Amino acid sequence: DPRAAAEGADVLVTDSWSSMGRARDVDPLQRQAIFQPYQLNDALLALAAPDCLVQHCLPAQKGQEITRAVFERHAGQIFDEAENRLHVQKAILAMLME
């Protein structure tokens, strides 16, 4: 349940829906319906910690996996390259464990 996972979260991370494993084999409209509950949007962020960090691997399908409003508000936190993902996640975990 994405709502339960987001409750009190310090970090919310999403990825490009088109790259999510077997989802690539699914019709784009069907894929969007499957992943819609996981969209990073204002309702989901309202459940997270007030200073929640938002991460999303570009290219972002604004309006699908992340709303345009959330993307724009957190653009400075969003990273450009997929290969940086593990380094970013490692840095976030290290920061949270301090």
Side-chain angles (χ1 to χ4, degrees):
D1 175 23
R3 293 179 57 81
E7 194 164 335
D10 293 308
V11 180
L12 291 176
V13 180
T14 191
D15 202 336
S16 297
W17 291 352
S18 59
S19 67
M20 299 297 283
R22 301 197 121 225
R24 290 176 290 208
D25 302 330
V26 178
D27 173 72
L29 292 176
Q30 189 179 19
R31 180 175 53 240
Q32 186 172 355
I34 291 167
F35 287 111
Q36 190 62 41
Y38 300 92
Q39 180 188 58
L40 289 186
N41 55 39
D42 288 326
L44 202 61
L45 263 64
L47 300 171
D51 58 349
C52 179
L53 181 64
V54 172
Q55 290 287 280
H56 178 74
C57 181
L58 296 178
Q61 299 298 319
K62 296 176 198 166
Q64 291 184 19
E65 60 258 334
I66 186 168
T67 62
R68 290 180 188 280
V70 171
F71 182 91
E72 296 303 326
R73 278 198 313 273
H74 296 274
Q77 301 169 349
I78 294 171
F79 51 102
D80 292 325
E81 299 176 25
E83 60 264 16
N84 289 335
R85 180 180 331 155
L86 293 178
H87 298 292
V88 170
Q89 290 173 346
K90 181 179 172 184
I92 291 168
L93 287 172
M95 178 187 71
L96 293 173
M97 293 173 67
E98 289 180 355

